[in-house]
Amino acid sequence: LNCQYLEMVDRQLQEWNRVRTGDLEICANAEAMLRDVQRTAAEETKTLKAEEDVLATELKVLEDQVRALHAEFEAKQSQSFEKIEAMTGLIAHKKLAVEENIRMVYEMIW
């Protein structure tokens, strides 16, 4: 009876050992998969950071271009206003001269 009991216990221990060995293999595979995922995530993070740096540089270049275009627009707008003011002054001066000529002609006629 003791021998049968010991054989039964031995079989049970062998079964548990087999199951435990399988569980350990599953854990080892899961750990390897986790390391692969972590390595891939680290590589992706590095790639995304590099892309972010490129985009930040491109954004800075575009912002600089916008500022330059805005400054150029402001300068041209200022020049246009100055030209308009000069032309308005010239037109007003010519209007006065024409009015003066008309007045002189009326005086000559009357």
Side-chain angles (χ1 to χ4, degrees), residues 10-22:
D10 185 51
R11 280 194 304 274
Q12 187 64 46
L13 287 173
Q14 288 177 9
E15 177 64 21
W16 285 344
N17 194 28
R18 189 178 57 77
V19 168
R20 184 176 162 267
T21 301

Side-chain angles (χ1 to χ4, degrees), residues 1 9 12-14 21 23 35 40 44 48-49 51 53 57 61 66 71-72 75 80-81 85 107-108:
L1 186 66
V9 169
Q12 187 64 46
L13 287 173
Q14 288 177 9
T21 301
D23 289 346
R35 283 190 299 275
T40 301
E44 287 293 323
L48 289 173
K49 177 63 176 144
E51 290 175 0
D53 291 346
T57 300
V61 168
V66 166
E72 182 181 343
S80 294
F81 284 143
E85 287 175 353
E107 286 178 0
M108 289 171 57

Side-chain angles (χ1 to χ4, degrees), residues 25-35:
E25 288 176 11
I26 290 171
C27 287
N29 289 338
E31 287 174 350
M33 289 173 61
L34 177 61
R35 283 190 299 275

Side-chain angles (χ1 to χ4, degrees), residues 56-110:
T57 300
E58 290 175 357
L59 178 61
K60 185 179 181 330
V61 168
L62 289 173
E63 288 172 341
D64 291 346
Q65 289 174 346
V66 166
R67 276 192 288 281
L69 287 171
H70 184 70
E72 182 181 343
F73 170 77
E74 295 262 333
K76 286 183 178 181
Q77 186 179 34
S78 177
Q79 289 173 355
S80 294
F81 284 143
E82 290 171 4
K83 286 179 184 177
I84 290 170
E85 287 175 353
M87 291 176 75
T88 302
L90 181 62
I91 290 169
H93 181 70
K94 286 187 177 187
K95 179 183 173 206
L96 288 176
V98 168
E99 289 173 348
E100 179 65 24
N101 286 340
I102 291 172
R103 189 182 59 72
M104 286 177 25
V105 168
Y106 278 133
E107 286 178 0
M108 289 171 57
I109 294 174
W110 303 110

Side-chain angles (χ1 to χ4, degrees), residues 37-50:
V37 167
Q38 288 172 332
R39 185 179 63 252
T40 301
E43 291 169 358
E44 287 293 323
T45 300
K46 185 177 177 182
T47 300
L48 289 173
K49 177 63 176 144

